[in-house]
Amino acid sequence: AQSVAQPEDQVNVAEGNPLTVKCTYSVSGNPYLFWYVQYPNRGLQFLLKYITGDNLVKGSYGFEAEFNKSQTSFHLKKPSALVSDSALYFCAVRSRGGNTPLVFGKGTRLSVIA
Amino acid sequence: AAGVIQSPRHLIKEKRETATLKCYPIPRHDTVYWYQQGPGQDPQFLISFYEKMQSDKGSIPDRFSAQQFSDYHSELNMSSLELGDSALYFCASSISRTSGSRDTQYFGPGTRLTVL
């Protein structure tokens, strides 16, 4: 069975500081990993994904994530946070093969303070 | 770029009523997924369709059914609604034919269902 853990319900960071939102996963075989962001009363917006290749993945809005196979982690990072980054962030995993559904973590609420 | 369209955006129903949610995937996307997100919860997978055939089944109650039509749009039919069905229902679509983007599910804005 697949699972995702986001150990922090809430992350607070000052504007301009680097941010990290943590994610660890459990899946048999090699995973497909994703980050989505959800703004209030909005849908889930795709940020980035890791499928294969370079462990550092760059995505939308200056976000990046590092895949670490030994630690089964896929932490989301941004060098300099913006107030507009404040939102709910979900890490998700799916197994390879076919159009398999996503399994989401519980989400981490990011609050960037001016 | 065209996105996933869901209708209606908001729906209010009484207990034991029925509801139909519609999803129009991104053009040329052949796979549709339905997810349910309860208040303060993460999205939970309900069901998916590929080329109009059911592909995967998750935690979808027997009271719910869904299908994908020839134009690839999908409908989620919900009967005997219960208070606990109040949630945000997301549809997502993906494409299986192009290797570069086939792994990504793109989500619609969701339908907020309130059962009174």
Side-chain angles (χ1 to χ4, degrees), chain B:
Chain B
V4 177
I5 297 172
Q6 291 188 246
S7 68
R9 293 293 307 277
H10 302 273
L11 192 58
I12 298 175
K13 291 286 185 179
E14 300 278 344
K15 281 173 51 178
R16 292 180 289 277
E17 285 190 322
T18 60
T20 297
L21 279 54
K22 296 185 179 182
C23 168
Y24 297 87
I26 292 171
R28 297 189 303 280
H29 280 200
D30 50 22
T31 307
V32 167
Y33 310 79
W34 286 97
Y35 293 85
Q36 177 193 58
Q37 185 180 29
Q41 303 292 314
D42 55 295
Q44 295 288 319
F45 171 69
L46 293 178
I47 195 167
S48 63
F49 294 87
Y50 166 65
E51 286 289 350
K52 293 151 277 184
M53 299 287 289
Q54 183 179 306
S55 179
D56 275 291
K57 194 172 184 180
S59 52
I60 184 170
D62 292 340
R63 300 176 287 108
F64 294 6
S65 64
Q67 58 182 322
Q68 186 180 31
F69 295 85
S70 58
D71 63 352
Y72 293 100
H73 94 272
S74 178
E75 295 183 3
L76 178 65
N77 298 294
M78 311 159 74
S79 63
S80 303
L81 287 169
E82 302 174 356
L83 296 178
D85 295 329
S86 295
L88 194 54
Y89 290 83
F90 286 114
C91 172
S93 73
S94 68
I95 185 169
S96 63
R97 302 189 200 99
T98 305
S99 60
S101 62
R102 67 176 178 173
D103 309 300
T104 303
Q105 294 179 25
Y106 295 92
F107 284 75
T111 293
R112 184 169 296 282
L113 172 67
T114 302
V115 181
L116 303 175

Side-chain angles (χ1 to χ4, degrees), chain A residues 32 34 36 38 41-44 46 49 51 90 94 99-102 104-106, chain B residues 31 33 35 37 42-43 45 50 56 88 90 96 100 103-105 107-109 112:
Chain A
Y32 287 179
F34 302 82
Y36 287 85
Q38 186 175 29
N41 300 314
R42 301 280 293 277
L44 293 160
F46 168 72
K49 66 182 178 185
I51 303 300
F90 287 100
R94 59 169 279 244
N99 299 317
T100 54
L102 293 168
F104 288 87
K106 295 298 182 185
Chain B
T31 307
Y33 310 79
Y35 293 85
Q37 185 180 29
D42 55 295
F45 171 69
Y50 166 65
D56 275 291
L88 194 54
F90 286 114
S96 63
D103 309 300
T104 303
Q105 294 179 25
F107 284 75
R112 184 169 296 282

Side-chain angles (χ1 to χ4, degrees), chain A residues 3-8 20-26 33-35 65-68 71-76 89-93 103-106 108:
Chain A
S3 65
V4 175
Q6 293 181 243
E8 301 154 320
T20 298
V21 182
K22 295 179 180 178
C23 171
T24 58
Y25 66 90
S26 174
L33 293 159
F34 302 82
W35 276 101
E66 186 167 11
F67 171 65
N68 187 318
Q71 296 185 4
T72 61
S73 67
F74 190 55
H75 301 330
L76 181 70
Y89 290 80
F90 287 100
C91 181
V93 67
V103 174
F104 288 87
K106 295 298 182 185
T108 298

Side-chain angles (χ1 to χ4, degrees), chain A residues 6-23:
Chain A
Q6 293 181 243
E8 301 154 320
D9 292 335
Q10 174 92 33
V11 169
N12 298 318
V13 63
E15 187 176 32
N17 282 2
L19 70 86
T20 298
V21 182
K22 295 179 180 178
C23 171

